[in-house]
Amino acid sequence: MSKRTRKLRRLNRQLDEKLTPASTAMLYQITRRIRTAPISAYQQESIRHDVIEMLQEAESRGASPEDAIGGDIAAFCDSVLAEATPLTARERRLYALHDVLWPMSLPAACMIGQHMVLLSLHAEGWPAVPVTTGIAVGIGFYLLAVCCAVLLTRTLTHSSFTQVYNGHLTVRLLLIPWWLIFVLLAMFWDQPLWYINGPLVIALELLVLIVSLILSATLD
């Protein structure tokens, strides 16, 4: 998520805390529809900002949230999103790349840490480092869960998993158990399965991390 998107999201969070419960409920319903639209995260936050201002203006007049948006949430969202600029082909490709690299970056970071520990404990075996049963099985379970989540997200919402993940706390929480399973398996099921070239694998893992971080920082 780019710097300007994070800044606008923080501002929106500060503003929506001042809304009445009725306006907050209305904003929540609108946000759920906006989060799955095939537009950039910055545009999503811009729309939310405009909606918050509309609700604030309605509150100042003593009007209801329904008066502010016309009463039909679906029709309101459809009209707003129809005016938004859809993601370009290049942006869709970058989001798709990030959807692939981001889930891989967490196991990569964990494995880099493990390689460093193994190097300090068994320096005589370097540059060969073992792939343990726990890491192999843990990565398999974790990546399977994330791949299913990415496919379901794209099938059901026609949007990027990255955008849905950033916009929904529930989605982020659903991945925590799978990440914990991976960590526990890597820690306690340490029987070596095979050996790999340490420098080459670490270089590839660092590449995944760097590209993922760059995309996270630049994509709106």
Side-chain angles (χ1 to χ4, degrees), residues 32 35 50 68 84 118 154 188 207-208:
R32 287 183 60 188
R35 289 297 189 215
D50 292 340
L118 291 174
R154 289 186 169 274
F188 298 109
L207 179 63
V208 169

Side-chain angles (χ1 to χ4, degrees), residues 15-27:
L15 294 175
D16 67 28
E17 290 176 353
K18 300 176 183 179
L19 295 174
T20 63
S23 294
T24 300
M26 177 67 71
L27 178 64

Side-chain angles (χ1 to χ4, degrees), residues 118-119 122-130 194-199:
L118 291 174
L119 176 59
H122 308 287
E124 67 279 0
W126 185 260
V129 293
W194 62 80
Y195 289 82
I196 54 179
N197 184 282

Side-chain angles (χ1 to χ4, degrees), residues 45-121:
E45 290 301 326
S46 296
I47 293 173
R48 289 188 72 244
H49 187 78
D50 292 340
V51 172
I52 291 172
E53 290 185 336
M54 291 173 61
L55 294 171
Q56 288 177 327
E57 195 274 335
E59 289 177 2
S60 67
R61 294 186 287 106
S64 68
E66 289 75 14
D67 294 333
I69 68 162
D72 190 333
I73 296 177
F76 172 79
C77 291
D78 289 343
S79 64
V80 170
L81 293 174
E83 298 178 2
T85 304
L87 293 173
T88 65
R90 176 179 177 273
E91 289 171 332
R92 288 196 299 270
R93 286 194 293 269
L94 289 176
Y95 271 114
L97 176 62
H98 192 251
D99 283 350
V100 173
L101 292 182
W102 176 84
M104 294 172 61
S105 65
L106 295 178
C110 184
M111 289 188 69
I112 289 174
Q114 191 207 41
H115 295 332
M116 296 299 99
V117 172
L118 291 174
L119 176 59
S120 64
L121 296 176

